Structures are given as structure tokens and as C-alpha cells.
Amino acid sequence: MNYYLLIYDRKEGKLIEEPKQYSSKDRKKAWKDRLEFEIEHKDEEHIESVVFGAKSLDDLKKTHGRYFFNYNADRNTAKKIRQEIKKLKKM
């Protein structure tokens, strides 16, 4: 099993760093790094740090997908598409 440290910005709806991978023998380091990050960013309530265990990053993306997709960007894209559809309907 691998462990992954994820740093997520709730306001932006996306990861702000690439996931950091740890081997099973380094899982304590993953938790230590997470704690250090939490202490450094304690006043930034919109920043979330989590450690997950998974066989692979792909497996983690399947089980915790919300951390890997930029929902704000997807929302903006959907809004633009709806606006374009409205314009086309008026033609």
C-alpha cells in the first residue's frame, strides 16, 4: 500500500500541489508532513491536507475523485456552454 498526501484548496476546488507519494514503510513520514503542513497553514481554513492509503494514485482518483477535478473550472465551462446554447437557440 502507498500513502498520498493531498493539499486541497476548498475555495478553488482543486489540488494546489501534486500529490506526494509515500511507501508503506514511510507512512509515519506522510502523517508527520501533513501535521507540519497543518501547523504552517493553521489560519488558512480553506486549505485542507489529507493522507490516504491506496494501491495506486489511479485507485485513489477512483475513490476520492473530488480532490482531482477542478470543479470551479468545470462549472465555468458548463456556464459558458449553456450561454452558447441560448445564443444558438435565438438564431
Side-chain angles (χ1 to χ4, degrees), residues 6-17 34 37-38 40-50 66-67 72:
L6 306 180
I7 309 299
Y8 186 78
D9 185 325
R10 290 186 196 114
K11 281 184 187 176
E12 297 295 321
K14 65 179 182 177
L15 291 172
I16 57 174
E17 293 183 12
R34 178 185 179 264
F37 182 88
E38 288 286 330
E40 289 175 23
H41 299 273
K42 66 180 183 238
D43 296 327
E44 299 174 74
E45 294 179 4
H46 64 285
I47 303 295
E48 175 182 355
S49 64
V50 293
R66 79 173 185 97
Y67 290 100
N72 289 339

Side-chain angles (χ1 to χ4, degrees), residues 49-74:
S49 64
V50 293
V51 173
F52 291 114
K55 286 184 179 182
S56 70
L57 188 58
D58 285 339
D59 285 347
L60 185 60
K61 287 178 180 181
K62 289 176 188 172
T63 59
H64 293 82
R66 79 173 185 97
Y67 290 100
F68 298 94
F69 303 104
N70 185 336
Y71 288 106
N72 289 339
D74 290 345

